[in-house]
């Protein structure tokens, strides 16, 4: 066996180990999430929790949209406003 074939086998084995580790992590996380959801459904205030979660998600969504969709004001427009403010302050 050549060195390159040995490296390739090592890389393939490393990739398989990483994928198996990620799959195990996903399954355990999903199991924890399902357990949490079951616990929440048993609560007497589940409707209130759902309404609160909905409003928090809507607020988070609004923040994300504002962050990524709002275009900053044009640089020259800001400079023009400052110039107008200075003129107004000087009484010209």
């Amino acid at each position: 066996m050549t060195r390159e074939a040995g490296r390739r086998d090592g890389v393939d084995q490393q990739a398989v180990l990483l994928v198996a580790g990620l799959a195990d992590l996903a399954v355990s996380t999903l199991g924890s999430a399902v357990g949490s959801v079951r616990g929440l459904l048993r609560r007497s205030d589940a409707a209130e929790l759902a309404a609160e979660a909905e409003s928090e998600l809507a607020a988070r969504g609004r923040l994300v949209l504002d962050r990524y969709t709002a275009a900053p004001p044009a640089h020259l427009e800001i400079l023009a406003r400052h110039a107008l403010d200075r003129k107004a302050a000087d009484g010209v």
Side-chain angles (χ1 to χ4, degrees), residues 2 5 9-10 21-22 37 39 41 44 52-53 56 60-61 65 76 80 85 88:
T2 64
D9 289 341
L22 283 173
V37 169
L41 290 176
S44 62
E52 186 178 321
E56 286 181 13
R60 182 180 288 262
L65 288 178
L76 291 177
D85 290 342

Side-chain angles (χ1 to χ4, degrees), residues 24-45:
D24 183 54
L25 178 64
V27 168
S28 66
T29 303
L30 183 62
S32 296
V34 168
S36 296
V37 169
R38 282 184 188 155
L40 288 175
L41 290 176
R42 290 186 191 126
R43 293 179 61 142
S44 62
D45 59 346

Side-chain angles (χ1 to χ4, degrees), residues 38-84:
R38 282 184 188 155
L40 288 175
L41 290 176
R42 290 186 191 126
R43 293 179 61 142
S44 62
D45 59 346
E48 293 172 10
L49 285 174
E52 186 178 321
E54 181 182 356
S55 66
E56 286 181 13
L57 283 174
R60 182 180 288 262
R62 192 175 311 112
L63 288 172
V64 168
L65 288 178
D66 288 346
R67 183 182 312 140
Y68 293 110
T69 60
H75 181 69
L76 291 177
E77 185 175 336
I78 293 172
L79 291 176
R81 287 182 185 167
H82 284 297
L84 287 174

